[in-house]
Amino acid sequence: DESIRNRRDALAAIEMESCRIINIKLGRVGGFSEAVAVHNAAYERGIPVWCGGMLESGIGRSHNIAMSSLENFSLPGDVSASARYWTEDIIEPEVTVSATGEIVIPDTPGRGYEVKTDLVERLTVRKHEIRAAALVG
């Protein structure tokens, strides 16, 4: 789990036979590209993976759902329903889990979930705008 930070770590762990399963957390490995690289390295070597996640808002959760749709994610993951941690999530539709523990993967482009920008604005307690400096010719 926590020691797998990238594809290289995954390959080392697999080569040393120190893991039979790999937990891929998008934030820990640095995003989608590296997560896919870890997934592919494990898949090519017959090591199953699962998606780790816990307290993400709907935005992070939607990324975990997309990642979990890859072929080698064959074990239950930490992706939970929006209502488990939030009174109202910042995405729509909210993530729901069926009685059999499944989450429907949206078939729309992108993450498949829209950010409720009005809710984000309502919940924002502090805002700081950073602008790029103009290039001097």
Side-chain angles (χ1 to χ4, degrees), residues 35-113:
V36 170
V38 171
H39 166 274
N40 292 347
Y43 180 68
E44 291 160 2
R45 289 154 184 82
I47 302 294
V49 297
W50 66 286
C51 184
M54 293 287 284
L55 298 173
E56 291 92 352
S57 68
I59 296 168
R61 185 171 289 121
S62 67
H63 290 153
N64 289 344
I65 292 167
M67 180 60 57
S68 296
S69 69
L70 295 176
E71 188 172 0
N72 198 35
F73 281 90
S74 56
L75 301 168
D78 279 344
V79 183
S80 60
S82 296
R84 180 172 177 98
Y85 296 107
W86 312 107
T87 302
E88 182 178 6
D89 206 339
I90 61 172
I91 59 164
E92 57 186 351
E94 71 176 42
V95 176
T96 57
V97 179
S98 73
T100 58
E102 296 177 331
I103 296 172
V104 174
I105 300 169
D107 59 3
T108 54
R111 287 186 321 272
Y113 298 88

